[in-house]
């Protein structure tokens, strides 16, 4: 039946996901069978209630409760109908065919026959003499008689046993007590049975606190207790307690008499090597007590201890309920032995616990689980005892039992192995002694290496133990644990991941364990090797798929997520390690893995990878001003960002839906008050556009252009109020300089964008980018004189004009190229280009525009002469004029080169507007400008004015 229930539960959990594991289905199936028997058996008078059924099934779903309404529904259906086999249905069918009349007639006939029989028996009893006894076959009659007579019988037996020295009479009393215990046990009169057993064990003279001489009747009482334990084990229940205490005390006295270590004691002065004289043990004791115990030990040698051993070895034949009682009381006696003297505890019962654990492993799993829930807790508590020898003995016993237990195969979805190995986890997590923790690792190493082929759910506990060991303060423990992990991965990892129910959990647990070793700060070699082993685990698990990896599409299915997320999150977690070489190794392995397998990820899986692994790695970017330790940003951020961009570009087909979020993260880098972050952000965008820009859809280009616009808005020139906020001149200069450099990077980004992708951008997007450059020039020049004074005019003008010049160069280079290749109506582009040409050339040459001259005329009408005004401005601008020209010279060079590259027709359309400014350039001192200007006049202006060919 047990095997059938195991297979049923295994198949049920394989076909459905109703429960967390097969154990739940297994226990519930047994519970339903028991309920059916209880509800429909006429031999059971007291029926199980619905509340009792629900209570009996609490916590069976991996520690959680099943829904009460679900269990109540099962109870109602079973009680209403129950299970029926074909024979029962045939009988019920035949009975239903009888007519109602025949049923009544048969009832009356049977009733008449019963009445006649009863009258005859009563008449016969009246005629017989009064001293004749009637024989009853009804248990109720016997129970009533026992309930009345047990107390007088116990009193009579006790008085005779206490006072008499007649061996024959004592033997009869013992026989009577044994018979009474037998009857009371069979008829389940528990209180009365306990009273008799307790009295019997008192007569063994093994329970008293005072030492008394052992007599023959005591020896016979011991023999009777042994016989009861052997013959009535299924009925003793709570009476096991005094019987087992009797056995424990008997062992203590026998060992004391033989000169062996006192009662299997661990530690303490009493357990020292040889004892030349027993009197040395009792030098502080009363001489009379010493003599009595010596005499008692000699008499107790008559007791056959093999008979007691058979009580424990035959425990496998106890019923399912009896073994639970037996184990509970044996554990209680063991606890008493240990607590009686913690520094030098006795282990007789502990040894017997190990024996019965071995003998009862073959029980059905539902019973074994109940047994181990009691024994496992006791093993845990004893393994943490103050006596190191005792702890080591218990741990070694657990090792031996684990070797035996794991020989038995575990069915899919069950976790009996996990429950059995839990004490190892508990001990290493709670022990304060390094010696004990080391022994746990050594024992687990032997268990794993010997039984790896059979371990399934047990891998979880094994890796939990190694996880804790990896954080231990002892280098010896760390190295032992890491050596085991290494061997498991190299020799048995395919077995670790092969189980369909527990393989994925063991895989994740192993990677978590390796992550702990990688974070070990005391051993760099172990940490680095742990990173390599993580990648090896991933490789082995992929091979276990049995698929062609080059053609496998990895999706966000549970199966694939279980493979990829443990390794990716593990490596990503190590990227923030304080050691540069370790986090560099982790980052390299992470992105190597993504580059190797990422092209086979579908879009949904990439979404999980970026949101769950990659983006969180760069959380510091979102709070860069709040980060106290900037080492990661200074040492690893650049490489991580470059590698992440490489992955995004290489796997663009799958990662493309994340473009907007990726650009947002890069934008955050750019707008921070950190030039290095900004430079990395801009370079990453450039790399993305150059490598994957041709794969962009129109929607992606709209997102990209929108991102660039937002960047210009966020990284605009500092406002008056921002400059006024700081009192320190150097601080203000640094702020402006930092913003200036970021804007220069953005200008170059827009320039590259316009040049490289003009053919794929829409007209609206091109104008949008050109407007950015145009607004950048006006914004750069828009700071008031007061703002310049705050910054220091010379330095301020240098930065501001540089921004304006860079924006102009970017815009002019693009517009000249677009104007040269324009087809159709290009009047709008020509007008815009001409405005920018005039603005730059005037600024460089120092000439004023028509609007400025109009303003002067208004001022002259108001009484301000042109001479005085011009003189004042020249005085103000004189110190900076040459500096401004030097900054604008590269832009003028771009203009001259662009004009020279235009065809003659387009050049002649622009010449009337720019000719005066070209002439003004002749006065400049820049040799590059003069050289280009000379060639322009010679090759273009002259032919246009028909001056020369």
């Amino acid at each position: 039946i047990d095997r059938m229930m195991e297979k049923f539960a295994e198949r049920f959990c394989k076909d459905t996901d109703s429960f967390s594991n097969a154990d739940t289905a297994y226990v519930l199936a047994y519970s339903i069978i028991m309920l059916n028997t209880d509800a429909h058996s006429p031999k059971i008078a007291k029926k199980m209630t619905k509340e009792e059924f629900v209570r009996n099934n609490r916590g069976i779903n991996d520690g959680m409760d099943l829904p009460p309404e679900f269990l109540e529904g099962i109870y109602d259906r079973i009680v209403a109908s129950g299970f029926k086999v074909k024979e029962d249905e045939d009988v019920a069918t035949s009975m239903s065919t009888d007519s109602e009349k025949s049923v009544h007639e048969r009832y009356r006939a049977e009733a008449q026959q019963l009445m006649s029989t009863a009258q005859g028996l009563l008449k016969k009893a009246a005629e017989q003499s009064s001293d004749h006894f009637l024989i009853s076959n009804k248990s109720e009659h016997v129970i009533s008689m026992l309930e009345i007579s047990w107390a007088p019988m116990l009193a009579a037996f006790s008085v005779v046993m206490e006072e008499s020295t007649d061996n024959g009479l004592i033997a009869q009393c013992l026989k009577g007590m044994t018979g009474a215990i037998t009857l009371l046990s069979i008829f389940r009169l528990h209180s009365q049975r306990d009273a008799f057993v307790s009295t019997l064990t008192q007569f063994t003279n093994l329970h008293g606190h005072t030492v008394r001489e052992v007599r023959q009747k005591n020896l016979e009482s011991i023999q009777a207790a042994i016989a009861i334990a052997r013959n009535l084990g299924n009925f003793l229940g709570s009476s096991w307690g005094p019987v087992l205490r009797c056995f424990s005390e008997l062992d203590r006295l026998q060992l004391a008499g033989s000169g062996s270590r006192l009662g299997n004691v661990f530690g303490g002065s009493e357990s020292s090597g040889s004892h030349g004289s027993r009197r040395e043990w009792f030098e502080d004791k009363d001489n009379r007590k010493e003599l009595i115990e010596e005499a008692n030990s000699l008499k107790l040698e008559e007791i056959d201890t093999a008979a007691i051993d058979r009580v424990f070895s035959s425990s496998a034949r106890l019923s399912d309920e009896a073994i639970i009682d037996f184990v509970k009381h044996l554990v209680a006696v063991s606890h008493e032995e240990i607590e009686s003297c913690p520094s030098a505890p006795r282990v007789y019962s502990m040894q017997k616990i190990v024996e019965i654990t071995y003998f009862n492993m073959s029980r059905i799993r539902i019973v074994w689980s109940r047994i181990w829930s009691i024994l496992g807790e006791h093993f845990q508590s004893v393994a943490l005892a103050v006596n190191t020898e005792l702890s080591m003995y218990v741990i070694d016993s657990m090792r031996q039992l684990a070797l035996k237990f794991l020989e038995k195969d575990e069915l899919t979805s069950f976790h009996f192995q996990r429950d059995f190995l839990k004490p190892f986890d508990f001990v290493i997590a709670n022990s304060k002694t390094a010696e004990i923790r080391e022994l746990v690792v050594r024992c687990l190493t032997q268990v794993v290496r010997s039984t790896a082929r059979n371990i399934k759910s047990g891998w979880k506990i094994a890796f939990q133990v190694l996880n804790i060991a990896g954080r231990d303060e002892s280098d010896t423990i760390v190295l032992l644990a890491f050596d085991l992990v290494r061997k498991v991965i190299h020799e048995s990892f395919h077995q670790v991941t092969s189980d369909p129910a527990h393989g994925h959990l063991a895989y994740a647990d192993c990677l978590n364990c390796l992550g702990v070793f990688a974070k070990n700060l005391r051993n760099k070699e172990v940490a680095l090797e742990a990173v390599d082993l993580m990648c090896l685990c991933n490789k082995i698990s992929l091979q276990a798929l049995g698929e062609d990896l080059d053609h496998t599409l990895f999706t966000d299915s549970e199966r694939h997520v279980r493979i990829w997320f443990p390794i990716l999150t593990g490596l990503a977690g190590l990227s923030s390690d304080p050691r540069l070489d370790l986090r560099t190794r982790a980052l390299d392995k992470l992105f190597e893995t993504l580059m190797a397998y990422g092209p086979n990820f579908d879009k949904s899986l990439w979404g999980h990878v970026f949101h769950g692994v990659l983006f969180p790695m760069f959380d510091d970017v979102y709070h860069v001003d709040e980060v106290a330790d900037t080492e990661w940003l200074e040492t690893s951020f650049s490489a991580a960002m470059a590698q992440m961009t490489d992955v995004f570009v290489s796997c663009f087909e799958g990662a493309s839906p994340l473009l907007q979020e990726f650009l947002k993260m890069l934008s955050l880098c750019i707008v921070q008050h950190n030039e290095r972050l900004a430079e990395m952000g801009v370079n990453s965008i450039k790399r993305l556009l150059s490598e994957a820009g041709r794969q962009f859809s129109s929607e992606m280009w709209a997102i990209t252009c929108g991102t660039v616009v937002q960047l210009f808005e966020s990284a605009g020139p500092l406002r008056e109020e921002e400059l006024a906020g700081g009192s320190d001149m150097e601080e203000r200069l640094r702020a402006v300089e930092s913003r200036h450099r970021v804007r220069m990077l953005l200008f170059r980004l827009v320039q590259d964008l316009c040049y490289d992708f003009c053919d794929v951008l829409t007209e609206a997007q091109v104008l949008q980018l050109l407007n950015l450059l145009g607004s950048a020039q006006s914004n750069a020049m828009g700071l008031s004189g007061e703002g310049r004074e705050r910054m220091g005019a010379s330095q301020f003008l240098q930065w501001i004009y540089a921004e304006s010049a860079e924006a102009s160069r970017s815009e002019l280079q693009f517009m000249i190229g677009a104007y040269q290749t324009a087809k159709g109506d290009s009047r709008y582009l020509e007008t815009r280009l001409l405005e920018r040409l005039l603005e730059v050339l005037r600024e460089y040459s120092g000439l004023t525009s028509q609007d400025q001259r109009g303003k002067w005329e208004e001022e002259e009408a108001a009484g301000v002469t042109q001479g005085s005004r011009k003189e004042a401005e020249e005085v103000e601008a004189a110190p900076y004029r040459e500096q401004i020209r030097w900054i604008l010279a590269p832009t003028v060079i771009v203009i001259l080169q662009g004009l020279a590259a235009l065809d003659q027709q387009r050049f002649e359309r622009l010449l009337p507007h720019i000719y005066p400014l070209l002439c003004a350039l002749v006065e400049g001192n820049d040799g590059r400008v003069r050289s280009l200007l000379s060639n322009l006049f010679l090759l273009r202006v002259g032919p246009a004015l028909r001056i020369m060919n």
Side-chain angles (χ1 to χ4, degrees), residues 327-347:
V327 168
K328 284 181 179 178
H329 290 92
L330 183 57
V331 165
V333 174
S334 175
H335 183 73
E336 292 170 4
E337 289 178 353
I338 295 169
E339 290 298 317
S340 63
C341 185
S343 60
R346 295 179 56 238
V347 293

Side-chain angles (χ1 to χ4, degrees), residues 382-430:
V382 177
L384 297 177
V386 294
N387 188 286
T388 304
E389 289 184 63
L390 176 59
S391 299
M392 297 177 72
Y393 167 75
V394 171
I395 294 170
D396 188 64
S397 299
M398 289 163 48
R399 173 191 62 82
Q400 297 177 47
L401 293 172
L403 290 171
K404 173 65 177 178
F405 184 82
L406 293 175
E407 289 178 358
K408 187 175 182 179
D409 192 24
E410 183 180 59
L411 296 179
T412 303
S413 299
F414 286 87
H415 53 67
F416 294 116
Q417 293 178 354
R418 188 184 72 185
D419 294 339
F420 189 88
L421 296 175
K422 274 183 180 178
F424 287 103
D425 181 30
F426 182 86
V427 173
I428 196 171
N430 294 279

Side-chain angles (χ1 to χ4, degrees), residues 620 626-633:
D620 286 353
E626 304 172 9
V627 177
D629 186 3
T630 60
E631 182 187 0
W632 190 85
L633 292 174

Side-chain angles (χ1 to χ4, degrees), residues 516-777:
V516 170
F517 285 107
K519 294 176 183 178
N520 189 295
L521 299 177
R522 295 188 302 275
N523 195 317
K524 184 173 71 172
E525 291 74 17
V526 166
L528 293 174
E529 186 179 354
V531 175
D532 296 335
L533 289 175
M534 292 174 73
C535 297
L536 179 59
C537 288
N538 177 249
K539 182 178 179 180
I540 296 174
S541 65
L542 290 173
Q543 293 173 349
L545 289 175
E547 302 176 6
D548 183 3
L549 298 180
D550 293 334
H551 300 89
T552 298
L553 179 64
F554 294 104
T555 67
D556 62 346
S557 64
E558 184 177 5
R559 182 189 183 195
H560 290 158
V561 169
R562 286 172 173 176
I563 292 176
W564 288 111
F565 257 68
I567 180 66
L568 296 180
T569 54
L571 292 173
L574 296 173
S575 66
S576 58
D577 191 89
R579 295 162 294 182
L580 176 60
D581 49 355
L582 181 71
R583 64 173 178 263
T584 301
R585 175 78 64 88
L587 284 170
D588 291 343
K589 293 295 183 181
L590 171 64
F591 289 109
E592 282 177 13
T593 301
L594 290 174
M595 289 291 286
Y597 300 101
N600 293 351
F601 289 7
D602 73 348
K603 295 180 179 179
S604 58
L605 182 57
W606 269 119
H608 291 302
V609 170
F610 271 93
H611 291 126
V613 179
L614 298 180
F615 286 151
M617 288 172 53
F618 297 89
D619 279 343
D620 286 353
V621 174
Y622 295 83
H623 315 284
V624 67
D625 294 332
E626 304 172 9
V627 177
D629 186 3
T630 60
E631 182 187 0
W632 190 85
L633 292 174
E634 296 170 356
T635 58
S636 300
F637 179 83
S638 177
M641 179 62 71
Q643 290 174 307
M644 184 173 175
T645 304
D646 290 342
V647 167
F648 196 92
V649 169
S650 301
C651 308
F652 184 76
E653 182 178 354
S656 57
L658 300 157
L659 176 64
Q660 185 169 8
E661 294 176 76
F662 185 57
L663 289 174
K664 179 181 177 181
M665 188 191 72
L666 296 178
S667 300
L668 283 172
C669 298
I670 296 172
V671 300
Q672 300 295 339
H673 300 300
N674 187 308
E675 294 176 34
R676 187 169 183 179
L677 289 181
E679 183 178 1
M680 287 186 285
V682 172
N683 291 338
S684 295
I685 294 179
K686 286 183 176 181
R687 171 78 192 285
L688 172 65
L689 294 176
S690 64
E691 298 286 341
R694 292 296 169 181
Q695 303 177 50
F696 281 17
S697 63
S698 57
E699 292 80 5
M700 294 177 186
W701 278 118
I703 292 172
T704 304
C705 292
T707 300
V708 173
V709 171
Q710 292 175 359
L711 282 174
F712 269 84
E713 293 174 354
S714 302
L718 292 175
R719 300 183 297 275
E720 296 278 354
E721 56 270 22
E722 291 180 294
L723 291 174
S727 57
D728 182 61
M729 175 66 71
E730 292 185 2
E731 182 180 346
R732 292 198 297 268
L733 284 173
R734 284 196 298 270
V736 173
E737 182 181 14
S738 175
R739 185 66 60 87
H740 159 71
R741 291 178 179 174
V742 171
R743 289 175 61 77
M744 295 292 281
L745 291 171
L746 292 176
F747 295 149
R748 297 186 184 102
L749 171 63
V750 174
Q751 177 181 339
D752 294 342
L753 184 62
C754 292
Y755 265 104
D756 296 337
F757 301 102
C758 178
D759 56 328
V760 296
L761 295 174
T762 64
E763 182 178 353
Q765 291 168 346
V766 171
L767 293 177
Q768 188 180 35
L769 296 176
L770 290 177
N771 288 335
L772 285 179
L773 296 174
S775 63
Q777 297 172 56

Side-chain angles (χ1 to χ4, degrees), residues 372-382 423:
W372 186 248
S373 65
I374 302 169
L375 295 179
E377 185 175 348
H378 185 61
F379 274 110
Q380 291 175 181
S381 63
V382 177

Side-chain angles (χ1 to χ4, degrees), residues 911-924:
L911 184 60
H913 305 282
I914 62 175
Y915 182 74
L917 294 173
L918 292 177
C919 294
L921 293 180
V922 177
E923 301 176 3

